[in-house]
Amino acid sequence: MNYQVDETHDPHLASWVASAVGHPDFPIQNLPYAVFHRDGAGPRLGVGIGDYILDLTAVAELELLDTILAAALRAETLNPVFALPAEARRDLRRRLSVLLSDAACRSVLEPHLFPVTDCLLGLPAQIGDYTDFYVGIHHATNVGRLFRPNAPLLPNYKYVPIGYHGRASSIRPSGLPVIRPNGQRKPPNAEPPDFGPSQRLDFELELGIWIAESNGLGNPVPIEGAQRHIGGFCLLNDWSARDIQAWEYQPLGPFLSKNFQSTVSPWVVTPEALAPFWRAQPCRPDGDPRPLPYLWSESDQKQGALGVQLEVLLSSSRMRKERAEPVKLSQTDASNMYWTVAQIITHHASNGCNLNPGDLLGTGTISGPTRETYGSMLEISRGGAEPVGLPTGEQRSFLEDGDEVILRASAQVEGFARIGFGDCRAIVQAAPAL
Amino acid sequence: MNYQVDETHDPHLASWVASAVGHPDFPIQNLPYAVFHRDGAGPRLGVGIGDYILDLTAVAELELLDTILAAALRAETLNPVFALPAEARRDLRRRLSVLLSDAACRSVLEPHLFPVTDCLLGLPAQIGDYTDFYVGIHHATNVGRLFRPNAPLLPNYKYVPIGYHGRASSIRPSGLPVIRPNGQRKPPNAEPPDFGPSQRLDFELELGIWIAESNGLGNPVPIEGAQRHIGGFCLLNDWSARDIQAWEYQPLGPFLSKNFQSTVSPWVVTPEALAPFWRAQPCRPDGDPRPLPYLWSESDQKQGALGVQLEVLLSSSRMRKERAEPVKLSQTDASNMYWTVAQIITHHASNGCNLNPGDLLGTGTISGPTRETYGSMLEISRGGAEPVGLPTGEQRSFLEDGDEVILRASAQVEGFARIGFGDCRAIVQAAPAL
């Protein structure tokens, strides 16, 4: 199954929700899902439309949807929606597109529309497992260069979509603060290590991939069928404590330097909504090894990469006091992924590992080739050696308490409506006292 | 809270369940929990007693237990039991000890006793996150020596309880087969890598630790309070594909070489049951650095190590055909852990990472200092160079299809009843066709 452009992507399609028309993030061509709370009530499912959220759990009671779709919407997480077959998920999008564009539906649906600003958006799913990849080749090169100036990429990088397991329990939705972790730190010339607040707290600009259908333990996912397993996309900030990481990570990889928290944007942008923005994989230069057969598909090479623009902004507490706008640290593009989303999924399941609805995959930090396109402070400040200036005169090598980091993403091509991902943001809180 | 020997450990305490008296694994002094299925019905909670399992979900309806305990037992997993405060879990054990020893309770409970052989034992809990540690110092040394003969242990090993995140979704209970994974393999002199069944499939002999109470995101666990968070213990076989591991693991650690499956024993042996077997930490030689203050506790050093004996047996399909007994590959002791369970938990939460009821921690492979005490084939066969002979004349460097691996554990000291963990076993199935 490949995602096809259809009538839901028609740039002239208009919603009867006025604010959706020309909305930079949430026009009717997007229709991202979310889990929301209102007035202290329990979580419900919703779909974003302009400045509003449509209560899908309520819509499920209106007999406007097929039974199977309505059943999946009577839930407190998106897991049952992710568990639907790909065709049913496509049908749900088409149906919502009709309901939100057909003026005849307005009177029955309008009571179930709520301003997003009145809602609290939660985690979209109960996350079974979280896996983080490392497919941003410029990031891997930049980080590798800090350790191995002459051979930044390890020999496996162009054969293996490198990934590792992260922590599911500490993933939080946008808006909640991130607490600076304490941990063991050992500068090269100090002995022994000490324990205290990380001095090199960093963000990582990533895309998150929500897993849909399960493959079941023991069943690999052929690359031609990998797209069925994509439930949607979000922004992902994989907070990292670089000093803790440098001391702990050998030989088994990052652990406490990463698992204190990751932040996701709450909207699930579906792969169907992104149909006009899938494009040829541009990131494998001539001369690079051809992927092994289980990772190779002609159609994936032609249409497996994501045309999504990403940016990181920062606002210090002093900037907020002085009412300065957040400063843009970086702007980059998902085409800097060396492996496609289908290749990531197929590789992950190639040993029979079971991926389940609501699992989250991270792409790894997506950096471009130049400083203004880097996806982490580690790269932007070159390991702390070249701090960034803020409009207040402050400088940043790594993050300070009170800093707010904001990730944004959007997709835009000629002839289609622009769609956005919504913000992924969090303010750094001081570490707990020792 | 430290675990105290009390009347439930009295070696003269006898159950009215006759097979429990003198039972090598499940006397009344043990009382391990499990999740079981019978006659195709849904899962229920149970406690092991002799050759029987007592249906705790049924007992919860008999008004023999406090309300809070009964409520936790009306469940399909042990998560609600793990979520109880430590004092309530201790009370549950005491109450079950009385019910199963007091002859007056026999008539009301006997209808809810089922022979274990008639039951299917499932996963004890819904596992939120699975973390594997690396605290078997002889294992870390043996594996490190294969890569770095002169400096097998990395500089962080004696400061940091090294761990990494594993895969929760592919953890299966004892008795289900393990499927040999396909994956990328690259012998040092071959180029490029190829893809196919792992040729170096291995077991890892570990203890698993079920997490009880949650600490909540952002809240470290002081080492003096770490034992409250132990819900119980099991055996854990962290199956490993050494050829896949060698090629993929840099720089972020093991991934597909481990996450195709892990097998746990289904019985949850409680820390209270092990009270007579906690002992002084013997594994930190004089001259080793003192743990940093957050990992140091006098009482943990005196009583934080586990006196548990472990063994691995192997039976090939030919051995089973010829009715040969499984051969013992190795026998070792949990005192070979360099860090205590409390240190593992405190370290894991030291950055604020939230551990939740039903999370699983692995100790990492527990090897002793000599070949007959090694906990993996990688060590026993010295990387494949010195195969092991089987009674059939077969040889093993790594595991072959049809091999059954059986892990066992028990605790025994003078003056107390011996308690056992039950088997953790699985047969290796051939890899899926490519």
Side-chain angles (χ1 to χ4, degrees):
Chain A
M1 170 170 176
N2 282 318
Y3 299 105
Q4 305 294 333
V5 171
D6 62 25
E7 67 279 10
T8 64
H9 304 96
D10 180 349
H12 304 295
L13 185 70
S15 174
W16 47 261
V17 179
S19 63
V21 179
H23 196 283
D25 286 337
F26 304 134
I28 192 168
Q29 290 80 8
N30 191 348
L31 300 176
Y33 301 117
V35 168
F36 72 102
H37 300 251
R38 235 185 94 250
D39 295 337
R44 303 174 76 85
L45 307 190
V47 62
I49 179 75
D51 296 333
Y52 290 81
I53 191 160
L54 176 66
D55 181 341
L56 291 177
T57 306
V59 170
E61 304 305 328
L62 298 179
E63 304 198 353
L64 295 168
L65 298 169
D66 286 350
T67 318
I68 182 178
L69 301 180
L73 297 173
R74 287 190 198 98
E76 301 197 336
T77 67
L78 283 163
N79 297 62
V81 172
F82 290 143
L84 290 170
E87 294 75 11
R89 283 179 278 125
R90 183 196 56 204
D91 291 347
L92 177 58
R93 170 181 167 81
R94 286 182 175 166
R95 188 70 187 134
L96 293 174
S97 178
V98 169
L99 293 175
L100 286 164
S101 57
D102 183 346
C105 301
R106 179 170 188 161
S107 61
V108 68
L109 291 179
E110 212 157 31
H112 305 293
L113 273 182
F114 305 103
V116 173
T117 47
D118 290 354
C119 301
L120 206 63
L121 301 186
L123 263 194
Q126 183 177 353
I127 303 169
D129 279 289
Y130 161 47
T131 306
D132 202 21
F133 282 85
Y134 195 57
V135 307
I137 188 167
H138 299 294
H139 173 72
T141 306
N142 293 336
V143 172
R145 192 173 285 128
L146 296 176
F147 296 97
R148 298 172 300 275
N150 297 321
L153 285 183
L154 291 165
N156 57 12
Y157 192 84
K158 293 185 173 179
Y159 291 100
V160 180
I162 297 289
Y164 71 109
H165 290 293
R167 183 84 192 172
S169 71
S170 56
I171 298 174
R172 289 291 182 271
S174 178
L176 297 181
V178 57
I179 302 168
R180 180 184 300 272
N182 290 306
Q184 287 194 33
R185 310 157 303 182
K186 192 186 130 3
N189 47 357
E191 182 85 44
D194 67 356
F195 183 84
S198 170
Q199 302 299 314
R200 292 163 75 94
L201 181 63
D202 203 353
F203 60 83
E204 290 197 332
L205 170 61
E206 306 195 14
L207 276 178
I209 301 146
W210 294 102
I211 293 293
E213 292 166 73
S214 179
N215 56 311
L217 188 67
N219 301 305
V221 172
I223 188 152
E224 304 288 355
Q227 290 198 336
R228 297 184 65 89
H229 298 270
I230 306 175
F233 294 91
C234 63
L235 284 158
L236 170 64
N237 186 340
D238 193 45
W239 304 99
S240 299
R242 302 299 180 190
D243 40 1
I244 299 173
Q245 186 176 356
W247 172 232
E248 75 167 1
Y249 90 103
Q250 283 189 312
L252 298 182
F255 180 45
L256 299 189
S257 54
K258 298 275 195 173
N259 68 5
F260 54 96
Q261 190 163 322
S262 306
T263 304
V264 292
S265 56
W267 297 104
V268 175
V269 176
T270 64
E272 295 85 2
L274 289 171
F277 311 102
W278 292 91
R279 60 186 186 187
Q281 164 64 300
C283 195
R284 186 175 285 267
D286 285 346
D288 275 13
R290 184 184 165 103
L292 295 187
Y294 77 104
L295 293 175
W296 173 264
S297 143
E298 195 76 39
S299 70
D300 185 51
Q301 290 298 306
K302 279 192 186 144
Q303 212 199 346
L306 274 173
V308 171
Q309 292 78 50
L310 303 149
E311 57 183 44
V312 190
L313 301 98
L314 186 140
S315 151
S316 70
S317 63
R318 188 162 145 203
M319 286 168 66
R320 294 195 299 281
K321 258 182 227 143
E322 298 180 6
R323 301 187 181 278
E325 287 296 306
V327 63
K328 189 186 290 185
L329 292 180
S330 177
Q331 179 165 351
T332 185
D333 193 292
S335 64
N336 290 300
M337 289 166 60
Y338 191 75
W339 300 97
T340 68
V341 177
Q343 286 172 322
I344 287 172
I345 289 173
T346 293
H347 180 66
H348 200 327
S350 64
N351 66 346
C353 180
N354 53 331
L355 311 181
N356 290 320
D359 284 352
L360 182 66
L361 313 184
T363 56
T365 308
I366 301 177
S367 293
T370 56
R371 191 184 188 196
E372 60 279 10
T373 63
Y374 290 166
S376 67
M377 286 305 297
L378 182 71
E379 296 164 88
I380 293 170
S381 74
R382 297 188 203 282
E386 299 177 19
V388 174
L390 304 183
T392 44
E394 298 170 284
Q395 292 208 319
R396 285 294 179 274
S397 294
F398 291 96
L399 299 172
E400 303 286 336
D401 294 346
D403 284 355
E404 181 168 42
V405 176
I406 307 159
L407 311 185
R408 288 187 181 139
S410 60
Q412 190 167 17
V413 291
E414 188 68 29
F416 289 94
R418 175 195 143 113
I419 68 175
F421 282 57
D423 286 1
C424 175
R425 57 167 76 209
I427 295 179
V428 178
Q429 260 186 14
L434 295 182
Chain B
M1 170 167 176
N2 281 319
Y3 298 105
Q4 305 294 334
V5 171
D6 61 25
E7 67 280 8
T8 65
H9 304 97
D10 180 347
H12 304 296
L13 185 69
S15 175
W16 47 261
V17 179
S19 64
V21 179
H23 196 284
D25 286 339
F26 304 133
I28 192 168
Q29 290 79 9
N30 191 347
L31 301 177
Y33 301 117
V35 168
F36 73 101
H37 300 252
R38 234 184 95 250
D39 296 337
R44 302 174 77 84
L45 307 191
V47 62
I49 180 76
D51 296 334
Y52 289 81
I53 191 161
L54 175 66
D55 182 341
L56 291 177
T57 307
V59 171
E61 304 306 327
L62 297 180
E63 306 199 351
L64 295 168
L65 298 170
D66 285 351
T67 319
I68 181 179
L69 300 180
L73 296 173
R74 287 189 198 99
E76 301 197 336
T77 67
L78 283 163
N79 297 62
V81 173
F82 290 143
L84 289 170
E87 294 75 12
R89 284 179 278 125
R90 184 196 55 204
D91 291 347
L92 178 58
R93 169 181 168 82
R94 287 184 174 164
R95 187 72 185 132
L96 293 174
S97 178
V98 168
L99 293 175
L100 286 163
S101 56
D102 183 346
C105 301
R106 179 172 187 160
S107 60
V108 68
L109 290 180
E110 210 157 33
H112 305 294
L113 272 183
F114 305 103
V116 172
T117 48
D118 290 354
C119 300
L120 205 65
L121 302 186
L123 264 193
Q126 183 177 355
I127 303 170
D129 279 289
Y130 162 46
T131 306
D132 203 19
F133 282 84
Y134 196 56
V135 307
I137 188 166
H138 299 294
H139 173 73
T141 306
N142 293 335
V143 172
R145 191 174 287 129
L146 296 175
F147 297 97
R148 297 171 302 274
N150 298 320
L153 285 184
L154 291 165
N156 56 12
Y157 191 84
K158 293 185 174 181
Y159 290 101
V160 179
I162 297 289
Y164 71 110
H165 290 293
R167 183 83 192 172
S169 71
S170 56
I171 298 174
R172 289 291 181 273
S174 178
L176 297 180
V178 56
I179 303 168
R180 180 184 299 273
N182 290 306
Q184 287 195 32
R185 310 158 304 182
K186 192 184 136 350
N189 47 357
E191 180 88 44
D194 67 357
F195 182 84
S198 170
Q199 302 299 313
R200 292 163 74 93
L201 181 63
D202 203 353
F203 60 82
E204 291 197 332
L205 170 62
E206 306 195 14
L207 276 179
I209 300 145
W210 294 103
I211 293 292
E213 293 166 70
S214 178
N215 57 310
L217 189 68
N219 301 305
V221 172
I223 187 150
E224 303 288 354
Q227 290 199 336
R228 295 185 65 89
H229 298 270
I230 305 175
F233 295 91
C234 63
L235 283 158
L236 170 64
N237 186 340
D238 193 46
W239 304 98
S240 299
R242 302 297 180 191
D243 41 0
I244 299 172
Q245 186 176 356
W247 172 232
E248 76 168 0
Y249 90 103
Q250 285 189 310
L252 298 182
F255 180 46
L256 299 189
S257 54
K258 299 274 195 174
N259 69 5
F260 53 97
Q261 191 162 323
S262 306
T263 303
V264 291
S265 55
W267 298 105
V268 175
V269 176
T270 63
E272 293 86 3
L274 290 171
F277 311 102
W278 293 91
R279 59 187 187 186
Q281 163 66 301
C283 195
R284 184 176 286 265
D286 284 347
D288 275 14
R290 185 186 164 101
L292 295 186
Y294 78 103
L295 293 175
W296 173 264
S297 141
E298 194 77 38
S299 69
D300 185 50
Q301 289 299 305
K302 279 194 186 143
Q303 212 201 346
L306 274 172
V308 171
Q309 292 78 51
L310 304 148
E311 57 183 42
V312 190
L313 301 98
L314 185 139
S315 152
S316 70
S317 64
R318 192 164 141 201
M319 285 169 66
R320 292 194 301 280
K321 258 181 226 143
E322 298 181 7
R323 300 188 182 278
E325 288 296 306
V327 64
K328 189 187 289 185
L329 291 180
S330 178
Q331 179 166 348
T332 185
D333 194 292
S335 64
N336 291 299
M337 291 166 58
Y338 191 76
W339 299 96
T340 67
V341 177
Q343 286 173 322
I344 288 172
I345 290 173
T346 293
H347 180 66
H348 201 326
S350 64
N351 65 347
C353 181
N354 53 330
L355 310 181
N356 290 320
D359 284 353
L360 182 67
L361 312 185
T363 55
T365 308
I366 301 178
S367 293
T370 56
R371 192 186 187 195
E372 60 278 12
T373 63
Y374 290 167
S376 69
M377 286 305 297
L378 182 70
E379 295 165 87
I380 293 170
S381 74
R382 296 187 202 281
E386 299 176 20
V388 174
L390 303 182
T392 46
E394 298 172 283
Q395 292 208 317
R396 287 292 180 275
S397 294
F398 291 95
L399 299 172
E400 302 287 336
D401 293 346
D403 285 354
E404 181 169 40
V405 177
I406 307 160
L407 311 185
R408 289 189 181 137
S410 60
Q412 190 167 15
V413 291
E414 189 67 28
F416 288 95
R418 176 195 143 111
I419 68 175
F421 281 58
D423 287 1
C424 175
R425 56 168 74 209
I427 295 179
V428 177
Q429 261 186 16
L434 295 180

